[in-house]
Amino acid sequence: MASTVEELQKDLEEVKVLLEKATRKRVRDALTAEKSKIETEIKNKMQQKSQRKAELLENEKPAAVVAPITTGYTVKISNYGWDQSDKFVKIYITLTGVHQVPAENVQVHFTERLSLIIWDGQVHILKSFDLLVKNLNGKSYSMIVNNLLKPISVEGSSKKIKTDTVLILCRKKAENTRWDYLTQVEKECKEKEKPSYDTETDPSEGLMNVLKKIYEDGDDDMKRTINKAWVESREKQAKGDTEF
């Protein structure tokens, strides 16, 4: 393009020289028209050159660097505290800085659905909630609690964000009832840990408790064996023979 503009410049200079020397009106008019035409051409070429130069400079600008929003890995929440009122079971989760993230980054879902899990010969309803905190200090935090001890109202349950704390409010379906445990699993584990008899009581009473426990947990053969031994023991005691 540079050579084209230079050629047009030379043409223009030559037309100007001829225009100065021309004396005939018809020739001067023709040269003047040619002069205007060349000047317009040069102007257009220069504008095109400037536009292309601006486009090149724009394309050479480094692209704006946008820091990716990353949530890193997900941390499972295992530490929490809970208490209750007449209407709510309250779960407290401590997360430093959670009050500073956008509200939509803290999500809690409450569910109550039929489950095929059976214990005590009954089909139970799984009551649960799950918490997900996104992009807190480059990480996500999650907590899932399945099978709450008693039914909750999904519609009446909610969450609150406090300084460094997420408060989950599970609305009790049956108000003014006490929850001794948060989940059914916790209840079962705690009850299994209870001793089957008290070592401080009379040894014979402890033995009776052990036999009772074996009888309740045993199959039909075990129960028949224990019943037979019990009857024989009672018969011997009636005859004055205390040997068991």
Side-chain angles (χ1 to χ4, degrees):
M1 180 182 288
S3 61
T4 302
V5 173
E6 288 176 1
E7 292 297 322
L8 288 172
Q9 293 281 10
K10 290 178 182 179
D11 292 344
L12 180 61
E13 293 300 323
E14 189 169 329
V15 169
K16 287 180 179 179
V17 172
L18 292 173
L19 187 59
E20 289 176 358
K21 293 181 179 181
T23 57
R24 303 286 296 176
K25 181 177 182 304
R26 185 175 180 180
V27 175
R28 287 184 61 84
D29 289 344
L31 290 172
T32 300
E34 186 64 20
K35 174 175 173 290
S36 297
K37 180 181 177 182
I38 294 173
E39 286 174 343
T40 301
E41 243 186 292
I42 291 174
K43 182 179 178 181
N44 291 339
K45 296 290 184 182
M46 294 300 294
Q47 287 178 345
Q48 291 176 6
K49 182 179 179 180
S50 298
Q51 185 176 352
R52 291 185 180 181
K53 185 176 181 180
E55 289 175 354
L56 288 173
L57 290 174
E58 184 67 25
N59 291 334
E60 289 175 0
K61 287 182 179 180
V65 178
V66 179
I69 298 176
T70 175
T71 57
Y73 58 91
T74 300
V75 179
K76 290 186 178 181
I77 300 170
S78 56
N79 294 325
Y80 62 88
W82 73 282
D83 63 13
Q84 60 188 303
S85 63
D86 290 340
K87 295 182 179 180
F88 292 96
V89 171
K90 307 172 186 178
I91 297 95
Y92 300 86
I93 298 101
T94 300
L95 291 172
T96 303
V98 70
H99 58 288
Q100 296 175 336
V101 303
E104 60 269 20
N105 283 22
V106 182
Q107 302 172 1
V108 181
H109 297 100
F110 302 90
T111 59
E112 184 172 352
R113 57 186 175 83
L114 287 177
S115 167
L116 294 180
I117 292 180
I118 300 175
W119 67 82
D120 298 335
Q122 297 179 351
V123 177
H124 286 257
I125 294 177
L126 280 181
K127 294 79 61 176
S128 67
F129 69 84
D130 61 87
L131 164 68
L132 176 62
V133 179
K134 297 180 179 178
N135 199 26
L136 173 58
N137 300 321
K139 303 174 186 176
S140 290
Y141 294 81
S142 70
M143 177 182 180
I144 300 175
V145 176
N146 287 318
N147 199 20
L148 293 168
L149 184 68
K150 296 182 180 181
I152 62 172
S153 168
V154 173
E155 296 77 13
S157 299
S158 61
K159 73 174 188 297
K160 289 185 179 180
I161 310 300
K162 299 179 177 291
T163 302
D164 298 329
T165 302
V166 178
L167 171 60
I168 297 176
L169 299 166
C170 295
R171 181 66 180 257
K172 295 178 178 179
K173 271 199 171 180
E175 296 182 6
N176 301 312
T177 58
R178 176 175 176 77
W179 290 29
D180 294 323
Y181 307 96
L182 183 61
T183 67
Q184 182 69 28
V185 173
E186 183 182 353
K187 175 185 176 183
E188 292 177 356
C189 290
K190 293 294 184 181
E191 289 182 347
K192 286 180 180 179
E193 293 174 0
K194 292 180 180 179
S196 57
Y197 62 91
D198 187 355
T199 55
E200 299 297 325
T201 60
D202 181 72
S204 61
E205 183 179 349
L207 177 59
M208 292 302 298
N209 287 334
V210 172
L211 290 173
K212 182 179 179 182
K213 179 66 175 174
I214 294 173
Y215 182 86
E216 291 175 349
D217 295 342
D219 55 17
D220 291 340
D221 289 339
M222 178 62 72
K223 290 178 179 178
R224 280 196 293 269
T225 300
I226 294 175
N227 283 333
K228 182 180 179 182
W230 177 255
V231 171
E232 291 177 352
S233 174
R234 299 292 292 179
E235 290 177 349
K236 288 181 180 181
Q237 289 180 4
K239 293 177 181 179
D241 185 357
T242 58
E243 181 182 356
F244 183 73

